[in-house]
């Protein structure tokens, strides 16, 4: 039996496939489709074995399943595939930021507004004291237009009193999310995607699930003020930072908004 010579191209091919499947696993890890993904990997491994040993009948069955199953998988993983390409595009934009810095004029850089962290921290502290529920999305590099269009355009400077008034219980916009882009309050009353992560603690409500949902789809920093407990939390990069103090909130915002 002749041996099969493995060249550099074969090693590169195997490496790239391994990276692809690892990234796909990271994408679905912690969601309700993890078991389906593992089952899919097992199915593909069995199919490769069948092809290698040239089992004609089994090969025909597996080929038919794969031809039909490809469409089913696209439908099944529709949101996950969309999130994957959104994150991929977001990373590419992040890597291209150095080009913008080179061509950006010094005058424009000086005219850019810095995010008023203390105004936001004071607003969250005051709302926490009165147990006023709030959901605040601070955009970074990801495009948030799809979520902005679900709410009412505000287009105002960030102001402590304005933030508090928007989330006041009798305000028509208090139930939705406030979205901040380019250091301005762009919209309020926005609808966010709800995370399907089964590992979310049961005591966390819809605001926390929506905050995690937007953090799974974008690189935004989301602040949650709980209406039940008055605690302040954050959702960043598909993870929670629960029960933070105003001082910790100030530090985290300073770090994350400068990245």
């Amino acid at each position: 039996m002749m041996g099969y010579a493995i060249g550099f191209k074969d090693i590169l091919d195997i490496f790239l496939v391994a990276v692809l499947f690892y990234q796909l696993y990271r994408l679905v890890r912690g969601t309700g489709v993890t078991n389906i993904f593992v089952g899919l990997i097992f199915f593909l491994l069995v199919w490769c074995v069948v092809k290698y040993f040239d089992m004609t009948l089994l090969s025909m069955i597996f080929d038919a399943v794969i031809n039909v199953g490809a469409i089913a998988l696209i439908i099944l993983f529709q949101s996950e595939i969309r999130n994957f390409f959104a994150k991929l595009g977001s990373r590419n934009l992040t890597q291209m930021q150095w080009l913008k810095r080179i061509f950006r004029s010094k005058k424009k850089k000086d005219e850019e507004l810095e995010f008023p962290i203390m105004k936001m921290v004071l607003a969250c502290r005051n709302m926490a004291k009165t147990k006023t529920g709030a959901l605040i999305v601070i955009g970074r590099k990801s495009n948030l237009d799809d979520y902005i269009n679900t709410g009412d355009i505000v287009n105002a400077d960030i102001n402590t009193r304005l933030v508090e008034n928007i989330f006041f219980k009798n305000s028509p916009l208090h139930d939705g999310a406030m979205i901040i882009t380019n250091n301005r309050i762009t919209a309020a009353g926005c609808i966010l995607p709800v995370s399907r992560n089964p590992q979310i603690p049961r005591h966390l409500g819809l605001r926390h699930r929506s905050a995690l949902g937007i953090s799974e789809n974008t690189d935004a920093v989301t602040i949650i003020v709980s209406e039940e407990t008055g605690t302040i939390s954050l959702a960043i990069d598909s993870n929670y930072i629960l029960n933070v103090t105003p001082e910790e909130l100030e530090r985290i915002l300073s770090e994350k908004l400068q990245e």
Side-chain angles (χ1 to χ4, degrees), residues 134-138 177-178 192 207 210-212 214-215 218-224 233-236 249 253:
L135 185 58
I136 304 169
V137 179
I138 305 173
M178 172 190 292
L192 304 183
R207 281 193 180 91
S210 298
L212 189 63
I214 192 72
S215 75
T218 70
D219 65 351
V221 175
T222 305
I223 305 172
I224 316 106
S233 302
L234 295 103
I236 308 171
L249 177 62
L253 290 180

Side-chain angles (χ1 to χ4, degrees), residues 144-157:
L144 302 178
D145 287 348
D146 289 345
Y147 311 107
I148 291 172
N149 292 333
T150 64
D152 295 312
I153 301 300
V154 177
N155 192 23
D157 292 334

Side-chain angles (χ1 to χ4, degrees), residues 148-200:
I148 291 172
N149 292 333
T150 64
D152 295 312
I153 301 300
V154 177
N155 192 23
D157 292 334
I158 299 173
N159 180 281
T160 299
R161 293 300 180 191
L162 178 58
V163 173
E164 294 178 36
N165 287 335
I166 287 176
F167 289 108
F168 182 67
K169 293 182 180 179
N170 292 331
S171 168
L173 300 176
H174 81 280
D175 275 336
M178 172 190 292
I179 296 181
I180 296 173
T181 58
N182 299 321
N183 299 333
R184 289 176 62 84
I185 300 175
T186 306
C190 301
I191 300 173
L192 304 183
V194 179
S195 175
R196 296 183 296 172
N197 190 331
Q199 298 178 357
I200 297 176

Side-chain angles (χ1 to χ4, degrees), residues 117-133:
I117 293 176
M118 286 310 303
K119 292 181 180 179
M120 182 58 63
V121 171
L122 287 174
C124 293
R125 186 195 66 179
N126 295 338
M127 291 187 293
K129 287 182 178 179
T130 59
K131 292 186 177 181
T132 301

